Amino acid sequence: MTRIHRSRVPILFVCAWALFGLTLPALAGPLFPNPVYTVGYNPWGLGMADFNQDGFQDFVVANVGNGYDGQTGDVSILMGHGDGTFSDETRIPTTQHAFDALAADVDGDGVGDLILTYYAGGRAVLMRGLGNGTFGPEIDIATGAYRLRLADFNDDSVPDLLQEIDSAAGGFVALLGNGDGTFTHGAAVVPGQSYNAVAADLNGDGRDDVLIVPYVPGEDPHQLLVFLGAGNGSFTPAGSLEVGDYVLSATAADVDGDGLEDIQVLTYHYRGGNNEDVTLFFSNGNGTFTLGPKQEEADSIAIVASDRNGDGIQDYVRIGSYQVTPYLGNGDRTYTEQPYFWVGSNVGGSQAADLDGDGRLDLAIMPNGSEAVFIFAGNAAGGFGPSVDTTVRDSYLGGLVTDDFNGDGDLDMAAAVLDQDQVAIKLGNGDGTFGAETRFPAGVGPVFLASADMNGDGFKDLVVSLRNWHFDYPDPIPPGSLVVLLGHGDGTFQPPSAPVNSGPSPTAMHVADLDGDGTPDVLIANFTDLLGVAQPDVSYFHGHGDGTFAPDVRLIVGAEDHYPYGWTHPMGLASGDFDGDGTRDIVVSLSGIPNPGGGGPNPAVAGTVRVLRGLGGGAFAPFVTVGETESSAGVAVSDLDGDGSDDIAVADAGLYISTNRGGLYTLLNDGSGSFTQSALLRAGIGPFDVQVADMTGDGVSDLVSSVNAGYLAILPGLGGGTFGEPITFGLFGAPVALVVGDFDIDGLRDLLVISSSGSFILHNQTQAPPPLEIDASVAFTGKSGVMTWTTNAESNLVGFNIVEQTPHGTKQVNTALIPCAQCVTGVGDTYRFFVPRHRSGRSLFIQAVYTDRTTELFGPARRE
């Protein structure tokens, strides 16, 4: 292999970064896949355009707020870097609260402009982009708008608008763009009250038409009305699309790849569970449609069509209110459903584009309840982001632990399968993947797992906390219990030991040698029973060193009954030596009872952090309160400030919603067991756990927290016990369990996550990727041949070209860029490409194309 040339970044590109205050390190990929960018309060509407003329797509988000206070509002601007990452939001003030935002170049200057729709009177305004990420003053363009959609009604490449009329009469009107930021209003089409107007080319003439859902008071809508555009802002009724069930909405995309826009209809059909269905209708090219497949118990707010896996067949992606489902086309208007993934609560907007320059469509999803924009990179298989193991999904509602269970040096995983009374073991392969699953009985309702050598044989065992029921509350609620599955050292385990009872409904577990005898002991936090009579407390189990335990000793932690609002109760457990006496102490986080209204009959009860000082021999002093939160959740112990003393981090979940989002606190220890509590550290919406690990590889501990909004927050350590602003990454839904570990043996901390979508690993991308190496060969048969090349790694790549060296320079052999197969995972791959009509005496090279648009030649290819 010979490395020939790598061109420099164009000077104008570098100047653009300098102009907007960005530095080249920002071009590096994110710390983990699936970056997330927080925006304002109550976001609706996600628009996409290039706002700063750097050639990359940017986003605008309309932050509704409460929408009715008459005050000024704002929008969030996220500037794209071209590699799938974005700058943190910049707020642009607006005169009112916008409930929708569109973005397009409507004045022909090459810069994206903003089109906002306000609540008050359906006022719609234009804010012209100034080319540097800022915008001009508001210019009124419409009133009485219920919603605006981008369209092209006259095939002039100038963006037009479809306005749904906000009035008792309803209807719609076309706003034809004049190319200078002004619009000519067509005649209103008023077929009666209607909603959910769709602009799409329904008859294949290159101009958008309109599809609406009609509404007749007292009747359920069962059809859609078709209006064919004349190209001048006027429309002709062209019949209806009969659906049958109650029509909720419709979206359009060319699902079958014939150049005609098809329709996806969301309908309602009561059946006692999920009552929504999605049906496809394929366009016949004349405004009529043919019935396609139907997916029951599904919802959809948008549809994106493209060839996702490079097989030349059109695929599509259905974006619902809570999840994304890819469908791979079979080439005959049938589709194979791929595993879905959850994207947060109540999706308020989405966009699809090639955001990282690899030739595949990526997704930007904005869940309203998460108040953030999630980025999911398209992968070679037709899905998004890292591969997800869907066999580990909804049934895994218990704990997760990783350790080397078979002694090969690689991290393995164990997950509690709560509803099947088992523990699932997957042995790690050392490259971030896992082998086949093996199940072992664990007892009824396993909820927490830990790994430790409980019998001193040098093999890892599993400690399991059971709640002894599944999902429906039994009456009475039985006590929980503790069992051990002794390991054989080869990844297999013995049946569970005889159970030892704990209190009802365990809420946390911690394993450590608490009495200093060299054998691990166990703590289990207990909730109350169904009647709320049993006092929440902590069970302490002394380990005998043979995998068995003494009966539990109950530790009082100060839980209180605040009838009728319930008990405060332990949520997190950990241990450390806080007073430097060589004996482990216990720290417990106790939930509070937040007051959502700030007054009234439900007074707030603070969450607390409490320490029980170890006295030796398994005895503990009464608890002492060392910190206070609104609603304490998970807790962790580590030396956060580097002074040699154990400190505490605690998650404050608030109310798990954006109006009361909580955060993290640190309690720094002075070495004697006295703590100083930090100010609230912002971490997202409803952080419910906290871990301490060096995720950035700089030798300083960071805080890691899963949040209720469905993403991970990492607060980078700055030294001295201080932490920076959170950087966030999507977890394919709210995580059920998350552990930190080096799963690919590269010296960096990765994340193993189980969420509602399945299990997956987020590989740490901190270190600089290895230099690209390509080994290429070519085998000729006559004047044609097959080019084969293998890569070692594919970080920051877009794809490849095959280049022929001629007496007059170089000539590209392939007509279209060959996309890289492992751009998302970063690992290497092997490629084969047919080379037609080649003059076999000339040399062939592989040209690598990077995301920053630089190139590098490798070769010449060996002759086989």
Side-chain angles (χ1 to χ4, degrees):
M1 181 204 74
T2 304
R3 181 165 300 172
I4 304 298
H5 175 66
R6 182 171 183 175
S7 60
R8 298 295 181 183
V9 178
I11 188 66
L12 290 178
F13 183 78
V14 176
C15 290
W17 285 99
L19 177 63
F20 301 113
L22 299 174
T23 58
L24 286 177
L27 288 171
L31 181 63
F32 291 100
N34 303 355
V36 172
Y37 302 93
T38 56
V39 293
Y41 171 46
N42 193 15
W44 286 101
L46 175 67
M48 178 177 66
D50 181 4
F51 298 134
N52 58 358
Q53 295 181 293
D54 63 357
F56 304 138
Q57 294 296 322
D58 311 310
F59 292 125
V60 58
V61 175
N63 300 316
V64 177
N66 61 29
Y68 297 101
D69 61 6
Q71 303 298 313
T72 57
D74 57 40
V75 296
S76 296
I77 304 295
L78 304 175
M79 307 303 292
H81 299 156
D83 61 354
T85 67
F86 291 78
S87 63
D88 290 336
E89 65 165 333
T90 298
R91 296 286 182 90
I92 303 292
T94 58
T95 60
Q96 296 173 255
H97 294 283
F99 69 87
D100 198 13
L102 302 175
D105 177 14
V106 300
D107 57 8
D109 63 356
V111 179
D113 309 304
L114 304 184
I115 301 167
L116 308 177
T117 307
Y118 294 133
Y119 271 112
R123 176 180 171 231
V125 302
L126 167 68
M127 298 175 68
R128 298 190 186 203
L130 302 180
N132 59 357
T134 64
F135 301 87
E138 298 177 8
I139 303 171
D140 285 270
I141 58 174
T143 58
Y146 173 70
R147 184 183 291 110
L148 295 176
R149 311 272 193 185
L150 288 170
D152 184 4
F153 292 119
N154 50 8
D155 195 22
D156 63 356
S157 300
V158 175
D160 306 316
L161 295 172
L162 170 63
Q163 174 185 338
E164 294 183 58
I165 299 173
D166 185 15
S167 69
F172 63 91
V173 62
L175 282 62
L176 299 181
N178 298 319
D180 59 359
T182 65
F183 296 85
T184 298
H185 292 230
V189 180
V190 186
Q193 288 183 305
S194 59
Y195 61 93
N196 193 247
V198 178
D201 182 5
L202 303 177
N203 60 356
D205 63 358
R207 301 188 298 260
D208 277 344
D209 311 298
V210 175
L211 192 74
I212 66 168
V213 181
Y215 176 71
V216 178
E219 298 183 14
D220 293 341
H222 295 288
Q223 62 179 353
L224 296 100
L225 299 182
V226 177
F227 294 85
L228 298 181
N232 59 2
S234 64
F235 300 87
T236 302
S240 62
L241 175 60
E242 299 297 328
V243 178
D245 291 333
Y246 188 117
V247 179
L248 297 173
S249 63
T251 54
D254 179 12
V255 173
D256 56 2
D258 63 356
L260 302 171
E261 293 195 78
D262 309 304
I263 301 298
Q264 182 179 244
V265 182
L266 177 65
T267 59
Y268 178 90
H269 180 77
Y270 179 75
R271 55 176 161 264
N274 185 336
N275 303 313
E276 294 177 351
D277 303 325
V278 174
T279 303
L280 280 174
F281 291 87
F282 296 106
S283 174
N284 297 322
N286 58 2
T288 65
F289 297 84
T290 298
L291 179 65
K294 179 178 183 178
Q295 291 88 39
E296 294 187 347
E297 298 188 2
D299 77 320
S300 179
I301 63 170
I303 185 172
V304 177
S306 66
D307 178 6
R308 298 211 51 79
N309 58 353
D311 63 357
I313 300 173
Q314 190 85 324
D315 313 304
Y316 73 94
V317 177
R318 191 182 72 228
I319 302 170
S321 299
Y322 299 91
Q323 66 188 48
V324 170
T325 308
Y327 290 82
L328 296 183
N330 300 317
D332 58 357
R333 286 187 168 180
T334 65
Y335 303 85
T336 301
E337 182 176 342
Q338 302 300 297
Y340 65 83
F341 62 91
W342 293 92
V343 292
S345 172
N346 204 9
V347 172
S350 64
Q351 292 289 340
D354 180 8
L355 301 174
D356 53 14
D358 66 355
R360 300 188 188 93
L361 284 184
D362 311 309
L363 288 182
I365 307 290
M366 186 193 66
N368 171 267
S370 300
E371 296 187 349
V373 175
F374 291 62
I375 307 299
F376 298 100
N379 59 39
F384 296 90
S387 60
V388 178
D389 181 355
T390 58
T391 65
V392 183
R393 186 157 59 189
D394 292 338
S395 64
Y396 290 73
L397 296 176
L400 173 68
V401 67
T402 60
D403 210 327
D404 182 7
F405 297 127
N406 61 350
D408 64 355
D410 301 327
L411 282 179
D412 311 309
M413 66 175 284
V417 190
L418 182 143
D419 62 343
Q420 298 181 36
D421 304 334
Q422 295 173 325
V423 171
I425 304 296
K426 289 195 172 188
L427 300 180
N429 297 321
D431 58 358
T433 64
F434 294 90
E437 177 182 283
T438 306
R439 297 282 187 96
F440 298 93
V444 178
V447 285
F448 298 106
L449 296 179
S451 174
D453 181 4
M454 302 302 299
N455 61 350
D457 63 357
F459 301 143
K460 295 295 184 178
D461 310 310
L462 289 176
V463 183
V464 185
S465 173
L466 306 172
R467 72 180 185 189
N468 291 313
W469 55 280
H470 295 141
F471 301 119
D472 297 324
Y473 282 97
D475 187 10
I477 290 182
S481 56
L482 172 68
V483 298
V484 172
L485 280 65
L486 295 177
H488 295 140
D490 59 358
T492 65
F493 295 86
Q494 296 181 24
S497 62
V500 184
N501 282 350
S502 60
S505 302
T507 58
M509 183 173 71
H510 176 67
V511 177
D513 180 8
L514 298 169
D515 54 12
D517 65 355
T519 298
D521 309 304
V522 178
L523 297 173
I524 294 179
N526 305 309
F527 192 39
T528 186
D529 55 22
L530 188 62
L531 298 177
V533 174
Q535 181 182 27
D537 55 19
V538 172
S539 291
Y540 164 68
F541 295 91
H542 168 70
H544 289 149
D546 58 359
T548 65
F549 299 91
D552 69 331
V553 175
R554 296 296 180 87
L555 304 177
I556 303 302
V557 293
E560 298 175 343
D561 184 9
H562 292 267
Y563 181 85
Y565 308 110
W567 285 87
T568 61
H569 59 278
M571 289 288 291
L573 287 170
S575 64
D577 182 5
F578 299 123
D579 52 11
D581 64 354
T583 302
R584 296 192 76 82
D585 312 308
I586 298 172
V587 57
V588 183
S589 61
L590 245 65
S591 71
I593 302 178
N595 180 3
N602 178 8
V605 177
T608 55
V609 180
R610 292 175 171 173
V611 169
L612 287 71
R613 190 168 71 85
L615 303 176
F620 297 89
F623 69 84
V624 175
T625 299
V626 298
E628 187 172 292
T629 71
E630 184 169 25
S631 185
S632 296
V635 67
V637 171
S638 183
D639 181 5
L640 300 176
D641 54 7
D643 66 354
S645 298
D646 283 338
D647 308 305
I648 299 170
V650 61
D652 182 356
L655 284 180
Y656 294 91
I657 57 177
S658 63
T659 53
N660 192 327
R661 59 183 56 211
L664 303 178
Y665 289 99
T666 63
L667 287 83
L668 299 183
N669 182 9
D670 66 0
S672 67
S674 295
F675 296 86
T676 300
Q677 183 168 330
S678 70
L680 183 68
L681 303 174
R682 187 167 63 96
I685 300 174
F688 54 82
D689 73 349
V690 62
Q691 300 181 51
V692 181
D694 178 12
M695 306 303 298
T696 58
D698 61 358
V700 180
S701 292
D702 311 309
L703 299 180
V704 183
S705 181
S706 303
V707 304
N708 192 51
Y711 55 79
L712 175 80
I714 297 176
L715 279 64
L718 304 178
T722 62
F723 297 87
E725 290 296 302
I727 48 178
T728 49
F729 304 94
L731 298 176
F732 295 119
V736 175
L738 181 149
V739 294
V740 176
D742 182 6
F743 296 100
D744 50 12
I745 318 179
D746 62 355
L748 300 173
R749 299 294 186 95
D750 310 306
L751 300 167
L752 172 61
V753 184
I754 293 181
S755 76
S756 47
S757 298
S759 71
F760 53 95
I761 286 183
L762 295 180
H763 289 277
N764 194 314
Q765 302 169 162
T766 299
Q767 66 182 16
L772 176 62
E773 297 179 3
I774 295 179
D775 181 56
S777 63
V778 60
F780 288 110
T781 303
K783 291 185 178 181
S784 62
V786 175
M787 185 86 164
T788 302
W789 68 98
T790 300
T791 62
N792 66 317
E794 297 189 356
S795 297
N796 301 321
L797 273 179
V798 176
F800 309 94
N801 293 313
I802 298 175
V803 174
E804 178 183 14
Q805 189 179 59
T806 75
H808 306 289
T810 59
K811 176 184 176 182
Q812 183 172 312
V813 175
N814 52 302
T815 57
L817 184 72
I818 302 167
C820 51
Q822 302 295 339
C823 302
V824 173
T825 65
V827 301
D829 211 325
T830 298
Y831 300 81
R832 291 174 179 83
F833 190 88
F834 177 70
V835 180
R837 296 184 300 279
H838 178 68
R839 297 183 181 180
S840 60
R842 295 176 179 174
S843 297
L844 290 176
F845 297 80
I846 297 296
Q847 181 190 64
V849 182
Y850 293 90
T851 55
D852 62 4
R853 302 312 188 267
T854 61
T855 61
E856 190 171 13
L857 282 180
F858 295 84
R862 298 189 313 276
R863 301 299 179 93
E864 297 290 347

